Every structure is written in structure tokens, then in C-alpha cells.
């Protein structure tokens, strides 16, 4: 399918500050133009009526766990990328905490080749900061970047060794790659299962203090300042982190940050249910932290929205709270949750939301995505902002179903997803 015309949709392209009802022509896998004269449209063009719909650059999720290789009982590249398409994502960056971790050229290439075989969305692997994610010895970053890694991270574990983190930043600076940091002091959260506060005390569950994130964020901002490296703070969840990032940006530190939909919409009160689908890391925080994250997203302190899609097989999440793994799936619920939380409430405009979910993640990772400019890759999502749907196990394409929104009715969903000029998903 070489020629597609999307007609009558509300085209939103933050890269060009475009928000208008228009037509969008795709030819040969590229964006050809908006409002192209009818005489210039090839006769064999497939036409899509997007009346009443949002037409935007494909969403980009810079924080996804695909689990393959090694944990295929939780997710595979096949199922994870299909879930991404269902959620409106045309590009995702996958974390390296697989088994074995992505710390060799072969493992990075394995993920890339598996994604090509799945033939769903674009997949950009991250590599490890340290060998085997042990935080003891720097991974062979030059080789890993050459193999196709777009960034490095030890996500799932913080880098406790400050000297190692500094060297990683200095090394990545040579390649103009960002260091994606999981900010957590392991000694402060050891044995914790939820946010440390009044609710954890009442429930008798060991808490994970906000300070465990704050101290690591402060340290890494200092390291980024002295090295000049590009630092990206993953899944920000505390008021202290937001404030520290805001001050660092004012000083000119090259820092960006992301927040997840669940840290914008849920609080630690959810753990009163004792459902392990509310157990995640960073943990759900108290309302003061949630509001701080919302304010940081609105004022630009936080640059991107990322899902931290973390699938786990049902038997793992059925364990008791203290032994169940952290994390929830998020690729297919992110967009409607953000529509409800940010658009309906008028906290952000549609253009600002698309910027946070497409353009900014692309820029942070150095991808040529997130735009509908002429000549750009034809990665496009058509969104029905008014479609209501109920989250069920059957409605989710992810292999795992660990989400706190099961049974909930949400509004807004991707209707058509186009990757490289090919319709890859049609609801």
C-alpha cells in the first residue's frame, strides 16, 4: 500500500505548531504533504475518512519492557509490539533488563531482528550501562551503540556507584547518547513494597521513602552538570525530584525527564485493596507527589510521558504483596488515561499532549520520528477521542494482563495506526 490519503481529520503536529482540519497524503512510506490538490493525488490512493478524529504523529514510548529474551512467559516482542500498535505507538524503546541483559552486540541485534520479524512497530533497543546490570563494570558502550542501541540504562536497578555513573555519562557524551537513569537508592528501599507514609503504616507494609528517589536524582543531576552529559530521569514520582529537575534546568543542566500515566492518576491509597496490580516501582505516591508531577508536566519540567510497560504472567502477580513483582502493563491504556486526566480537565491541549507522547521522546532519543513534516517517515496515528471501551483481558493484546484498570471504562483509543506508510493496525 504505497498511497494513503487521510481526509477531513484534525491534524495535530507540534513540530510545526499545526492544529487544523486538513488532508494528509502519504506516498512511498513518507509524508508527502497536507491539503495536496486533488489533481496531484494518484488514482490508486487508499482514502481514510478521519472526520471527527485526531490525526497525529505516531506515539513514541521511550520506556517499555518487552521481556524477550528470557522471560517470554510475561511478554514477547511479537505480543508487546502488537500491544504498542493497539495503544497508538508506532515506535518504542525497549529496556535492557532481559535475561540475559542487553549488554552484548549479539543481544541488541537479536532484539532488532526479532522486531523486524514481528513487523509491527519500530523497536529501538537500549543497552545496559553496566555489564550484566550489576553496577560494577561499564558495559562496552561503543560496541553496543554501533549495534543499534539508542541509549543506555540499567533500568530496574539504580547505579549505586557514583564513579561508574560519572564514567558512563562521560562515555555517552562522546556519542551524544542519553543516559537513562532509574533513580533509586537500594539501601533505602530494601524490602519495601509501597510508598512510605501513613497508608503503608496503617497497612503494615514496608515503605519505600520518597527520599530514595530524591537523593539519587540530586546526585545524578550533579554528575550531569560537571560532565555536560545528557541525563534522562526515568519514571519521576516525587515532589523532590520534580523540584530538583526544575532547578537543574534553570542552571542549564542537560536533563530531561518522563512520568508515567499511573503516577499521574493513582495514589498509594490504591494499595488498601491489597491488589498486586497496584504494586509498582517507583511506588504509587501520596497526593502531594502526584500533584507535583502533574505541575511538572504542565510547566515543562517533565518532558515526556512514558508507560514503563511492565508485563508479568498472572501466576507471578497472584503472589502475596511482599513477593509479587513490581509493574503493570500500560501501552494500551496510556492514551485514554491521558486524555481523561489532561485533555478533559484542560490541563494540556491536544498539541501539548502529542508533544509529550511523540515529539519530545523522539528528540530525547535522537529519533527521526514524532513529526508529520513533508519527507518524514509516514508513522501516523488516527485517534478517536470519544470512543468508550472497557478494559478486559480479552481487549488487551499484551500477553500479560496485569493492569489496575481491568473492568474500567475509558474514553479515547487509537483507531488506525500506520507505520512506514503501511496500515499496521485498524480497530
Amino acid at each position: 500500500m504505497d498511497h494513503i490519503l487521510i481526509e477531513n481529520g484534525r491534524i495535530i503536529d507540534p513540530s510545526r505548531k499545526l492544529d487544523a482540519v486538513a488532508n494528509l497524503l502519504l506516498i512511498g512510506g513518507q509524508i508527502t504533504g497536507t491539503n495536496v490538490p486533488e489533481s496531484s493525488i494518484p488514482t490508486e490512493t487508499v482514502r481514510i475518512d478521519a472526520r471527527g478524529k485526531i490525526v497525529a504523529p505516531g506515539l513514541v514510548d521511550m520506556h517499555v519492557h518487552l521481556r524477550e529474551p528470557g522471560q517470554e512467559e510475561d511478554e514477547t516482542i511479537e505480543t508487546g509490539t502488537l500491544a504498542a500498535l493497539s495503544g497508538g505507538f508506532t515506535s518504542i524503546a525497549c529496556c535492557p533488563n532481559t535475561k540475559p541483559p542487553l549488554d552484548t552486540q549479539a543481544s541488541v541485534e537479536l532484539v532488532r531482528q526479532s522486531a523486524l520479524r514481528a513487523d509491527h512497530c519500530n523497536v529501538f533497543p537500549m543497552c545496559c550501562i553496566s555489564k550484566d546490570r550489576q553496577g560494577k563494570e561499564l558495559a562496552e558502550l561503543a560496541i553496543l551503540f554501533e549495534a543499534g542501541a539508542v541509549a543506555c540504562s540499567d533500568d530496574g536497578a539504580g547505579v549505586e556507584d557514583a564513579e561508574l555513573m560519572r564514567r558512563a555519562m562521560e562515555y555517552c557524551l562522546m556519542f551524544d547518547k542519553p543516559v537513562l537513569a532509574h533513580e533509586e537508592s537500594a539501601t533505602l528501599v530494601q524490602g519495601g513494597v509501597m510508598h512510605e507514609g501513613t497508608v503503608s503504616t496503617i497497612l503494615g507494609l514496608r515503605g519505600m521513602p520518597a527520599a530514595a528517589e530524591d537523593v539519587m536524582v540530586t546526585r545524578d543531576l550533579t554528575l550531569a552538570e560537571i560532565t555536560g552529559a545528557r541525563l534522562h530521569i526515568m519514571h519521576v514520582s516525587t515532589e523532590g525530584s520534580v523540584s530538583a529537575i526544575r532547578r537543574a534546568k534553570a542552571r542549564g543542566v542537560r536533563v530531561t525527564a518522563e512520568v508515567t500515566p499511573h503516577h499521574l492518576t493513582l495514589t498509594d491509597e490504591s494499595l488498601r485493596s491489597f491488589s498486586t496490580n497496584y504494586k509498582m516501582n517507583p511506588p504509587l505516591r501520596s497526593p502531594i507527589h502526584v500533584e507535583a508531577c502533574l505541575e511538572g508536566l504542565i510547566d515543562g519540567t517533565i518532558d515526556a510521558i512514558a508507560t514503563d510497560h511492565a508485563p508479568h504472567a498472572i501466576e507471578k502477580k497472584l503472589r502475596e504483596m511482599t513477593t509479587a513483582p513490581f509493574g503493570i502493563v500500560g501501552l494500551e491504556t496510556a492514551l485514554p488515561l491521558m486524555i481523561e486526566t489532561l485533555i478533559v480537565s484542560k490541563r494540556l491541549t491536544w498539541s501539548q499532549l502529542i508533544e509529550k507522547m511523540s515529539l519530545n521522546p523522539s528528540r530525547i532519543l535522537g529519533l527521526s520520528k514524532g513529526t508529520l513534516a513533508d519527507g518524514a517517515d509516514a508513522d501516523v496515528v488516527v485517534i478517536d477521542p470519544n470512543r468508550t471501551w472497557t478494559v478486559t483481558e480479552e481487549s488487551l493484546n499484551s500477553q500479560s494482563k496485569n493492569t489496575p484498570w481491568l473492568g474500567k471504562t475509558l474514553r479515547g483509543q487509537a483507531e488506525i495506526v500506520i507505520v512506514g506508510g503501511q496500515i499496521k493496525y485498524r480497530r
Side-chain angles (χ1 to χ4, degrees):
M1 191 179 298
D2 293 324
H3 312 313
I4 300 174
L5 181 67
I6 304 174
E7 301 178 284
N8 308 313
R10 179 184 171 187
I11 298 178
I12 298 179
D13 182 9
S15 73
R16 295 184 293 157
K17 302 188 184 309
L18 175 64
D19 185 347
V21 175
N23 299 340
L24 183 70
L25 182 62
L26 319 176
I27 294 180
Q30 291 186 318
I31 307 292
T32 302
T34 53
N35 285 337
V36 176
E38 186 68 31
S39 59
S40 300
I41 299 172
T43 55
E44 66 273 23
T45 297
V46 174
R47 294 175 181 258
I48 296 172
D49 187 0
R51 196 181 311 272
K53 311 294 174 27
I54 303 290
V55 180
L59 305 183
V60 178
D61 191 348
M62 59 183 302
H63 189 164
V64 173
H65 300 272
L66 290 178
R67 303 302 188 202
E68 186 181 350
Q71 297 166 298
E72 287 83 358
E73 71 277 10
D74 298 329
E75 189 81 283
T76 66
I77 290 172
E78 171 75 28
T79 60
T81 53
L82 181 58
L85 287 178
S86 176
F89 294 94
T90 56
S91 296
I92 59 176
C94 61
C95 293
N97 59 335
T98 50
K99 294 183 179 179
L102 305 185
D103 62 356
T104 65
Q105 182 178 9
S107 60
V108 171
E109 291 177 348
L110 171 67
V111 170
R112 294 182 63 200
Q113 291 302 317
S114 296
L116 288 174
R117 283 195 298 272
D119 196 24
H120 289 150
C121 67
N122 303 303
V123 175
F124 299 95
M126 302 177 209
C127 65
C128 299
I129 293 174
S130 64
K131 290 184 178 179
D132 201 30
R133 294 179 55 251
Q134 293 298 306
K136 296 177 180 179
E137 184 180 356
L138 202 63
E140 300 287 348
L141 295 178
I143 293 174
L144 295 168
F145 292 147
E146 184 180 355
V150 295
C152 65
S153 176
D154 273 359
D155 186 46
V159 178
E160 295 284 333
D161 187 330
E163 173 68 10
L164 181 69
M165 190 59 151
R166 177 179 180 176
R167 297 306 172 209
M169 289 185 184
E170 291 173 337
Y171 215 90
C172 288
L173 185 59
M174 294 188 291
F175 298 92
D176 193 29
K177 299 290 187 184
V179 176
L180 274 58
H182 175 109
E183 304 290 19
E184 176 185 53
S185 173
T187 55
L188 287 175
V189 301
Q190 192 170 15
V193 298
M194 67 173 294
H195 173 64
E196 181 181 275
T198 302
V199 179
S200 66
T201 302
I202 292 171
L203 298 179
L205 294 173
R206 187 174 177 86
M208 305 166 72
E213 179 176 314
D214 297 345
V215 296
M216 294 292 277
V217 167
T218 302
R219 184 204 72 176
D220 286 346
L221 288 171
T222 301
L223 294 177
E225 190 164 16
I226 65 175
T227 61
R230 293 172 55 201
L231 172 67
H232 178 78
I233 309 295
M234 306 175 86
H235 45 41
V236 171
S237 72
T238 71
E239 180 185 31
S241 293
V242 175
S243 297
I245 295 166
R246 185 180 287 119
R247 293 192 299 271
K249 285 192 169 187
R251 298 195 306 272
V253 179
R254 299 176 71 195
V255 59
T256 54
E258 70 187 43
V259 68
T260 72
H262 44 276
H263 286 115
L264 296 175
T265 55
L266 300 171
T267 71
D268 57 346
E269 289 286 342
S270 303
L271 274 296
R272 290 180 183 271
S273 67
F274 282 93
S275 168
T276 59
N277 280 337
Y278 293 101
K279 182 184 178 183
M280 53 203 70
N281 189 15
L284 298 175
R285 303 287 185 185
S286 61
I288 189 172
H289 295 290
V290 174
E291 189 57 36
C293 288
L294 282 165
E295 290 175 3
L297 187 71
I298 293 165
D299 70 19
T301 300
I302 297 175
D303 306 86
I305 297 168
T307 68
D308 192 8
H309 176 81
H312 294 290
I314 187 170
E315 63 271 15
K316 296 180 181 179
K317 275 294 192 176
L318 284 176
R319 299 171 189 163
E320 62 182 27
M321 188 68 71
T322 54
T323 58
F326 293 102
I328 61 172
V329 293
L331 284 166
E332 296 173 87
T333 54
L335 179 60
L337 288 172
M338 294 300 88
I339 291 173
E340 181 66 29
T341 303
L342 301 171
I343 300 297
V344 175
S345 67
K346 300 187 186 306
R347 289 178 180 262
L348 291 183
T349 64
W350 267 104
S351 184
Q352 290 169 326
L353 179 61
I354 297 301
E355 184 176 42
K356 304 283 189 183
M357 296 187 74
S358 183
L359 179 61
N360 285 355
S362 299
R363 286 177 170 173
I364 293 167
L365 294 175
L367 309 178
S368 57
K369 305 292 182 181
T371 177
L372 297 179
D374 290 2
D377 294 339
D379 295 350
V380 184
V381 60
V382 179
I383 301 167
D384 184 343
N386 299 311
R387 185 179 189 274
T388 59
W389 61 287
T390 301
V391 183
T392 64
E393 291 189 358
E394 293 72 27
S395 70
L396 296 177
N397 291 280
S398 175
Q399 184 163 294
S400 294
K401 315 298 178 182
N402 51 306
T403 171
W405 286 281
L406 281 176
K408 304 292 194 306
T409 298
L410 305 179
R411 181 170 68 174
Q413 209 167 25
E415 184 174 281
I416 295 173
V417 184
I418 299 169
V419 182
Q422 302 290 315
I423 297 176
K424 295 293 185 179
Y425 192 87
R426 188 191 292 267
R427 193 158 305 278

